[in-house]
Amino acid sequence: MTKAQPKFHFSPRQNRAHEINWREWSPEAFQEAKAQDKPILLSLSAVWCHWCHVMDETSYSDPGVISYINEHYVPVRVDNDQRPDINARYNMGGWPTTAFLTPEGELMTGGTYIPPESMLEHLPKIAVQYKGNRKEIASKMEEIRQQRAATASPKAVADLSPDIFDNVVSAVAQSYDPVFGGFGEAPKFPHTDSIDLLLYAHRRNRDPDLLHMARKTLEFMSAGGVFDKEWGGFFRYATNRDWSEPHYEKMLEDNTSLLHNLLTLYRITGDEAHAASATGVIDYLDAKLRDPEHGFFYGSQDADEEFYKLPAAQREKLPEPYIDHTFYTSWNALAASAYLEASWTLDRPRLREAALQALDFAWENCRRTGDGQTAMYRYYDGSPHVPGLLGDQAYTARALLDAHEASGDSAYLGRAEELARLLLDRFADKDGGGFFDVWEEADSLGRLAERQKSVQDNAVCAELFIRLHHLTRSEEYRQIAQAALEAFAPSYHTLGYFAAGYVKQVDLLLNPPAEVNIVGVPEDEGTRALHRAALTMDLPYRVVQLLDPERDAARLEALFLPPEPAPAAYVCLGTTCSAPVTEPSALAEAVQSALGGRSADIQTLE
């Protein structure tokens, strides 16, 4: 298995940050702060973060800073990738975050990168303020707690309407940069959910302007400095508007999301340049971020501007930037989903096997089964850590549905339903709808005692339950998805294009996608042909499953589908299904007929 990683990761360049007596986020650290009556210095960092490394090399290497922190503070260091729940509550606007807390975990003040001279000025001021203004600080902290409690109380929900979808599509279009593609000004991030929404909305109504926005963004990124022309893969973001100057770290999360965008674009355009860009991402992931023995994906590769400017031949002669060999559950689920999509989009079956290997590793090595209930851990570095974060459960469950769809193996559907039941039992907001970001037995230190709801994670949950509804015909699943989406309906407009993933699910709930059920023996050539035709149709969305007449007899009965003829495909909307379709070439017409006026011409990849 992968080697256990050190407790703390510091800059790979010379520094003295390890001389600070860092503690892990733990009850012991908070108890120590209370017993010694010291404030906590919380450092939120990431192994790939350039400015985190700079702070290690400068501020945290200054002898005066080291000495003062060790004497007057309880320093706690947290890796953002390992503990996104802590990051969500204490991040001050980027990485590194330097936050000053009371021993109870309340935030007094903080910032991002703080240079040495400023640290030497701030450290004694904050310590003196903490010691000399106890009552004032305590009163202010109680006021803040009450405000948070009030905002966390159940809010009114609102009905879902088509306007929600239209409003956010408009917000994405308004933020689009018509000169260089992308959204907003510099620094410029990919915003992959916004790209995905544009492609979805284009396929929904064939609006050429929406396709143009998504296409130009991805083409400018692929041709710009944010794409590594030597090794492939995308850097994290651009520091300027035209994508020419990247920030050089490479993230598994970003690359797999961009791979999904490129694959979708290729299915729409058929342009081989888009397939080539997708292949460049896959080549990088295979070469640098995939464990050759166990098949899972690593988290990231560090930034190194000078290294990445070199040709590939010169790179090979030098030590390459640090790779975080940690297995992160939600990111591996994203990678598995993207590889499964690539397997049938690019007709590369090996990618399907790679995806299933990563998912199987997660299920076998990063899953808790205590109390008779499955739950995914956050990460694995030789042993699993931190169970009970929503994103890891939701993304894994969605990837398991992708595996069921691409492989026809109903075992993956069963696993997804296990995690869906966990979400309902341990994460669901029974009063306000939706799902909290941590389960009810979460770490109660500091602000972690206050459960939050992320619109991005809840969008994934909604997709999970919408798909389960269509796969099983369970009305309960549809109602759960609706409640989750209604919980954000009163406030979605404040998020702008950050609500892109959410409104896609609103539209899917209001305008159900076609269900394509393939009945046949998975090994049969005719079954495989129908299956591929169903997967590759250029639709905004569709739900596909392959049902073996013998293995899945009970499920066929529940879906009111006959075991014969086989192989055959049935296109369903709700409980209304087409006549059996036995020719792959006829499947698109059957879908178009079922969707009626909601569908433009449907094409499939050749």
Side-chain angles (χ1 to χ4, degrees):
M1 294 299 173
T2 184
K3 290 183 179 179
Q5 302 294 310
K7 286 183 179 180
F8 306 112
H9 179 86
F10 302 104
S11 169
R13 296 175 290 275
Q14 184 174 358
N15 68 89
R16 297 176 60 186
H18 61 279
E19 295 180 25
I20 296 174
N21 296 327
W22 297 106
R23 282 75 156 173
E24 294 181 271
W25 179 278
S26 64
E28 291 76 17
F30 281 81
Q31 289 166 7
E32 180 183 352
K34 291 176 182 177
Q36 298 184 12
D37 196 23
K38 294 179 179 179
I40 293 170
L41 187 155
L42 173 63
S43 170
L44 286 172
S45 65
V47 300
W48 43 263
C49 167
H50 168 74
W51 284 103
C52 300
H53 297 165
V54 173
M55 193 152 181
D56 282 346
E57 297 155 20
T58 57
S59 304
Y60 290 145
S61 289
D62 184 282
V65 170
I66 295 170
S67 174
Y68 201 92
I69 289 175
N70 284 339
E71 183 174 354
H72 297 283
Y73 287 85
V74 173
V76 174
R77 191 170 175 111
V78 171
D79 184 288
N80 162 70
D81 298 341
Q82 295 177 358
R83 294 302 302 267
D85 52 333
I86 298 174
N87 178 73
R89 289 156 174 80
Y90 289 104
N91 193 289
M92 301 293 292
W95 299 277
T97 275
T98 310
F100 297 91
L101 315 181
T102 69
E104 294 74 32
E106 287 297 336
L107 178 66
M108 293 188 291
T109 188
T112 52
Y113 171 76
I114 303 177
E117 58 275 15
S118 297
M119 281 291 281
L120 288 169
E121 178 183 351
H122 291 319
L123 286 169
K125 282 185 177 180
I126 294 167
V128 168
Q129 183 184 23
Y130 169 73
K131 292 283 189 180
N133 297 279
R134 304 295 179 78
K135 289 185 178 179
E136 180 182 339
I137 291 173
S139 175
K140 184 64 176 177
M141 295 302 104
E142 180 58 30
E143 180 183 337
I144 291 172
R145 277 193 293 269
Q146 290 178 0
Q147 290 173 351
R148 290 205 305 270
T151 58
S153 60
K155 299 181 179 65
V157 299
D159 292 336
L160 303 177
S161 74
D163 290 343
I164 295 176
F165 179 82
D166 295 338
N167 291 342
V168 175
V169 172
S170 295
V172 172
Q174 288 168 10
S175 66
Y176 171 72
D177 178 353
V179 179
F180 298 107
F183 311 96
E185 300 291 333
K188 189 172 279 185
F189 289 83
H191 295 297
T192 54
D193 279 350
S194 293
I195 299 172
D196 185 57
L197 179 63
L198 290 174
L199 294 171
Y200 173 86
H202 161 72
R203 285 174 296 168
R204 183 175 177 269
N205 58 22
R206 297 297 174 184
D207 184 334
D209 291 339
L210 301 181
L211 174 60
H212 171 77
M213 294 177 195
R215 182 172 188 163
K216 185 170 184 174
T217 298
L218 291 171
E219 288 179 347
F220 269 58
M221 288 185 67
S222 296
V226 290
F227 188 80
D228 185 348
K229 305 301 187 298
E230 301 295 328
W231 277 0
F234 287 94
F235 300 112
R236 184 164 166 259
Y237 68 95
T239 59
N240 57 356
R241 182 183 171 193
D242 66 0
W243 305 105
S244 61
E245 293 295 329
H247 225 263
Y248 283 91
E249 58 267 14
K250 289 183 179 179
M251 312 294 295
L252 176 63
E253 179 183 27
D254 296 332
N255 274 278
T256 54
S257 297
L258 283 164
L259 176 56
H260 164 68
N261 291 156
L262 286 164
L263 293 168
T264 305
L265 180 64
Y266 172 59
R267 291 197 299 276
I268 295 170
T269 66
D271 188 333
E272 290 301 325
H274 302 148
S277 295
T279 298
V281 175
I282 294 167
D283 289 346
Y284 169 72
L285 295 176
D286 277 351
K288 300 298 180 183
L289 293 190
R290 187 162 183 264
D291 186 282
E293 182 180 356
H294 303 104
F296 64 80
F297 294 86
Y298 303 141
S300 62
Q301 186 164 26
D302 202 352
D304 188 326
E305 180 176 355
E306 298 306 319
F307 180 91
Y308 284 117
K309 288 181 176 179
L310 297 173
Q314 290 183 251
R315 290 183 189 182
E316 299 299 333
K317 300 175 183 178
L318 299 173
E320 66 183 59
Y322 176 83
I323 292 175
D324 180 5
H325 289 83
T326 306
F327 170 100
Y328 296 101
T329 301
S330 63
W331 295 1
N332 268 262
L334 281 168
S337 292
Y339 265 48
L340 288 164
E341 184 179 358
S343 71
W344 49 262
T345 299
L346 304 177
D347 197 18
R348 295 175 60 179
R350 180 196 67 79
L351 298 178
R352 186 184 75 179
E353 301 312 311
L356 298 182
Q357 188 177 9
L359 283 175
D360 290 343
F361 180 91
W363 197 255
E364 294 165 7
N365 297 280
C366 214
R367 176 173 59 106
R368 193 178 94 162
T369 57
D371 303 323
Q373 194 167 48
T374 285
M376 305 305 296
Y377 287 92
R378 169 63 191 155
Y379 69 97
Y380 180 95
D381 63 357
S383 58
H385 305 274
V386 192
L389 302 187
L390 176 63
D392 299 308
Q393 324 307 317
Y395 283 92
T396 301
R398 185 177 68 175
L400 290 166
L401 291 187
D402 292 336
H404 169 62
E405 176 180 272
S407 71
D409 188 343
S410 57
Y412 292 111
L413 174 61
R415 292 177 181 181
E417 288 201 271
E418 281 189 55
L419 291 175
R421 182 50 54 187
L422 172 77
L423 294 181
L424 296 176
D425 292 346
R426 309 288 297 278
F427 291 86
D429 180 354
K430 303 297 193 299
D431 299 317
F435 299 87
F436 294 112
D437 64 336
V438 294
W439 62 9
E440 78 277 11
E441 63 178 79
D443 182 347
S444 60
L445 298 175
R447 290 186 172 180
L448 291 188
E450 299 161 7
R451 302 163 84 193
Q452 301 178 354
K453 285 192 277 190
S454 156
V455 67
Q456 287 87 1
D457 287 351
N458 271 266
V460 177
C461 292
E463 180 183 354
L464 168 67
F465 285 101
I466 288 171
R467 291 172 68 180
L468 285 173
H469 163 64
H470 290 292
L471 290 167
T472 66
R473 304 280 169 81
S474 168
E475 181 62 19
E476 179 193 13
Y477 288 146
R478 193 198 65 79
Q479 292 171 355
I480 292 161
Q482 180 173 334
L485 295 171
E486 287 177 342
F488 292 89
S491 59
Y492 80 92
H493 60 279
T494 65
L495 301 172
Y497 57 74
F498 288 101
Y502 164 76
V503 300
K504 179 180 174 182
Q505 304 313 316
V506 171
D507 190 67
L508 285 173
L509 189 79
L510 297 178
N511 300 287
E515 306 165 12
V516 184
N517 298 291
I518 314 295
V519 180
V521 177
E523 296 77 16
D524 180 83
E525 183 177 341
T527 302
R528 290 201 301 269
L530 284 169
H531 190 204
R532 175 166 172 74
L535 290 172
T536 57
M537 281 187 296
D538 178 24
L539 286 165
Y541 206 87
R542 79 283 177 278
V543 176
V544 175
Q545 64 178 329
L546 198 162
L547 298 154
D548 185 300
E550 183 175 343
R551 180 196 66 194
D552 300 313
R555 295 193 58 232
L556 283 170
E557 184 176 351
L559 296 170
F560 303 105
L561 294 175
E564 296 290 341
Y570 297 87
V571 180
C572 304
L573 279 180
T575 57
T576 303
C577 296
S578 70
V581 178
T582 57
E583 292 297 329
S585 59
L587 190 55
E589 183 180 349
V591 171
Q592 195 165 18
S593 176
L595 292 174
R598 289 171 43 201
S599 173
D601 292 338
I602 300 170
Q603 300 175 341
T604 57
L605 289 175
E606 296 298 332

